[in-house]
Amino acid sequence: MAQNQSDDTGTLPDDRPPAKNRVDGIDAARALAVFGMFAVHLGVVSFGLLPEEQGWELHGLVRGNSSALFAFLAGVSLALMSGRAEPVSGRPLRRVMVKIVARSLVIGLLGLFLDSLAVPVAIILTYYAGFFVLALPLLRARAAVLWIVAATLAVFGPVVSFLLRQDLFPAQPRTGAVTSFSEFFLTGYYPAITFMAFMFAGMAVGRTDLTATVVRVRMAVGGAIMTALGYLGPWVLLYPLGGLDRLTEAHSTFLNGSPLGSVDAGTAEELRWNTIDAMHSISGQVHTDSWWWLAVGTPHTGTTFEIFEAVGQALLVLVICVSLAERLPRVMYPLASVGRMPLTVYTGHILVLAVIVAFHPENAAGGPFYLEWFILGSFVFATSWRLLLGRGPLELGLGKVSEGAAVLMDEAGGRDRRG
């Protein structure tokens, strides 16, 4: 039987042997992020165990939060592979950076391939690869610095994005996951100006001792406060302070610039609901016809409130998963197994969706219980593979590529010294 060891980072292994105090809860949280993306990609029609109303509630909970959790945990992984609480430097740092770049290249190419399959899914891998590269300059930063950078991006990033998209980079029709630099940074499904806040917040967490009770308590309290702020802030601004009416006046073509009070109460209420529907239909960044859009906190809006809410929930999920993995390791084993091979499972579900689309293009999400079958299949595959062979197939391949790149760097350095 293969050893049940893999790197502490899921798809980004350290140069050192696997640590004995591996935090399996990180893997469990990563699996939940992947399953959340399953739910979004397959849609409410695929939920067999939940009534439609509860299905929509679950869909609303995981939409946006699952991809944010995925990026947050990628940041945790970067911190773990680069020294945990004590960032590496010198040659070890250079080796880690070379490995990250090599992996980013492979992951990016894989993302482009999956995008070419024309599955009706916003592939995150190409963005994911770019996020790793953008994180390199802060690979040696301590937790406090990383939290400051993440908070700065969360507060000022949405404003900068709004101004740039309003005047210089208006959104264009999307033909793929990433087709331009402006789409990657500003106007795409997972814009870097938003998602790097998740990455840096994750890196900050990875620079702490996740086995310490005091650290977990702080994460739980901080996560609860951020989540509350992310939900309550938009409610106060949009309802008691009248932001929803201002948005409706700016966004409604029916009003054509007229005040909301110029129509009867029934029509006004209907127009407000149209605006609420528009809030929940955003997929990347808010509109730029009113500054009040920055007051919303719905998924994939890239506002300060959405970032706070998503990071807060990511902290809570991580604390819960870490605690459960310690107390119930056997129960959490299948979930952690999926989280140890997230790239394999994510890629596998896109390939299965591609087959479904090829044979049933009119019903790409399938029908009831498709989500449950995807999750069950992931559990069976990942647990069996881990028990018999160890690391996931794509994770193993990425490890060999990154190690080969590091060896080439070492050999090149040796030749330079001899020369």
Side-chain angles (χ1 to χ4, degrees):
M1 181 182 295
Q3 291 183 342
N4 295 328
Q5 289 182 332
S6 69
D7 54 85
D8 284 310
T9 64
T11 61
L12 292 168
D14 197 346
D15 287 334
R16 295 164 295 182
K20 292 182 180 180
N21 60 339
R22 176 186 174 90
V23 184
D24 286 339
I26 297 173
D27 297 320
R30 192 181 290 113
L32 292 179
V34 174
F35 289 160
M37 286 188 278
F38 282 10
V40 174
H41 296 164
L42 291 169
V44 176
V45 70
S46 71
F47 301 178
L49 296 177
L50 291 177
E52 184 175 0
E53 183 178 351
Q54 284 71 38
W56 279 111
E57 291 177 359
L58 175 62
H59 187 274
L61 177 64
V62 299
R63 182 175 180 264
N65 286 322
S66 55
S67 53
L69 177 60
F70 201 53
F72 173 88
L73 293 171
V76 176
S77 297
L78 286 177
L80 294 181
M81 74 172 292
S82 58
R84 301 193 177 203
E86 296 295 331
V88 296
S89 60
R91 178 178 170 276
L93 176 63
R94 291 193 296 272
R95 293 190 96 250
V96 169
M97 294 178 73
V98 167
K99 286 187 172 187
I100 292 173
V101 172
R103 285 170 172 266
S104 297
L105 178 60
V106 175
I107 291 173
L109 292 174
L110 177 60
L112 292 175
F113 165 71
L114 295 178
D115 198 36
S116 71
L117 298 178
V119 175
V121 167
I123 304 297
I124 196 175
L125 293 184
T126 313
Y127 288 91
Y128 195 64
F131 299 158
F132 286 142
V133 176
L134 292 180
L136 291 178
L138 292 180
L139 208 57
R140 291 197 62 212
R142 300 280 181 171
V145 173
L146 291 164
W147 276 122
I148 290 172
V149 173
T152 301
L153 276 176
V155 173
F156 296 105
V159 177
V160 172
S161 172
F162 188 97
L163 290 171
L164 290 175
R165 289 182 297 107
Q166 186 179 55
D167 297 327
L168 299 175
F169 301 101
Q172 301 295 327
R174 292 166 177 166
T175 58
V178 184
T179 58
S180 66
F181 283 107
S182 62
E183 196 168 41
F184 171 74
F185 283 102
L186 294 170
T187 64
Y189 291 105
Y190 311 104
I193 199 166
T194 297
F195 273 74
M196 288 310 297
F198 304 139
M199 288 282 291
F200 289 133
M203 290 174 67
V205 170
R207 289 277 178 252
T208 61
D209 181 8
L210 290 173
T211 64
T213 301
V214 65
V215 171
R216 296 182 191 178
V217 171
R218 289 172 181 169
M219 287 171 56
V221 172
I225 292 173
M226 293 178 71
T227 301
L229 179 61
Y231 280 115
L232 292 177
W235 181 83
V236 171
L237 291 171
L238 293 176
Y239 294 96
L241 297 184
L244 180 60
D245 286 358
R246 304 292 80 77
L247 271 180
T248 301
E249 291 170 350
H251 194 66
S252 173
T253 56
F254 180 85
L255 291 173
N256 195 26
S258 300
L260 194 60
S262 64
V263 298
D264 62 84
T267 302
E269 187 65 17
E270 182 179 351
L271 293 176
R272 290 189 186 98
W273 278 108
N274 290 341
T275 302
I276 292 172
D277 287 340
M279 291 181 196
H280 288 276
S281 300
I282 295 171
S283 58
Q285 292 287 337
V286 295
H287 307 288
T288 57
D289 52 11
S290 171
W291 281 96
W292 277 103
W293 283 110
L294 295 179
V296 307
T298 46
H300 284 300
T301 51
T303 66
T304 297
F305 293 113
E306 193 229 345
I307 295 172
F308 277 23
E309 174 262 321
V311 172
Q313 291 192 103
L315 289 169
L316 293 174
V317 168
L318 183 56
V319 170
I320 292 171
C321 286
V322 168
S323 299
L324 288 177
E326 286 183 352
R327 289 166 172 74
L328 303 169
R330 293 184 181 276
V331 174
M332 297 291 284
Y333 188 90
L335 193 64
S337 298
V338 173
R340 291 195 179 207
M341 50 189 80
L343 187 61
T344 297
V345 174
Y346 179 91
T347 300
H349 103 279
I350 297 295
L351 294 177
V352 173
L353 280 175
V355 173
I356 294 175
V357 169
F359 286 96
H360 302 284
E362 75 289 346
N363 191 20
F369 293 102
Y370 265 55
L371 174 63
E372 288 84 353
W373 280 114
F374 269 67
I375 293 175
L376 179 61
S378 300
F379 277 137
V380 172
F381 172 83
T383 304
S384 302
W385 189 283
R386 179 182 174 188
L387 286 169
L388 298 174
L389 299 170
R391 296 179 66 187
L394 291 186
E395 286 72 19
L396 181 61
L398 277 177
K400 291 184 179 298
V401 169
S402 64
E403 185 60 36
V407 169
L408 288 176
M409 183 202 74
D410 291 339
E411 292 177 350
R415 287 195 296 270
D416 290 342
R417 287 190 294 271
R418 290 193 298 271

